[in-house]
Amino acid sequence: MALEFVVCLRKDDTGDFSGDDLQLGRLYELVEKDAGHGMLRIIDESGEDYLYPQSWFDSVALSLAASEQLAKALPHR
């Protein structure tokens, strides 16, 4: 199964959401594309999966080979 990734474009601190565990321009593994209420679930810098606003990210298209290689290389897999 191919992994999906998003790139972080914003990390505003907006009340309940903190961007402390995000880096602008970095790719993050997408765990759940539509987690409801305009949110998505990613694995952030903490190594855990958390909900973040979809507006902070954009999807990234990777080849199947690149996705599989990253799946093998990621420490949390």
Side-chain angles (χ1 to χ4, degrees), residues 24-58:
L24 292 174
R26 182 171 166 121
L27 294 182
Y28 292 97
E29 182 181 345
L30 182 63
V31 176
E32 187 177 1
K33 187 180 274 186
D34 185 11
H37 304 287
M39 306 294 283
L40 52 79
R41 185 176 297 280
I42 65 160
I43 300 188
D44 66 14
E45 296 298 319
S46 73
E48 300 293 327
D49 61 291
Y50 289 101
L51 292 172
Y52 289 99
Q54 288 176 343
S55 62
W56 289 9
F57 302 89
D58 197 7

Side-chain angles (χ1 to χ4, degrees), residues 55-77:
S55 62
W56 289 9
F57 302 89
D58 197 7
S59 61
V60 174
L62 296 176
S63 69
L64 181 58
S67 178
E68 289 173 348
Q69 188 171 359
L70 278 172
K72 291 176 189 173
L74 290 173
H76 62 273
R77 292 231 151 248

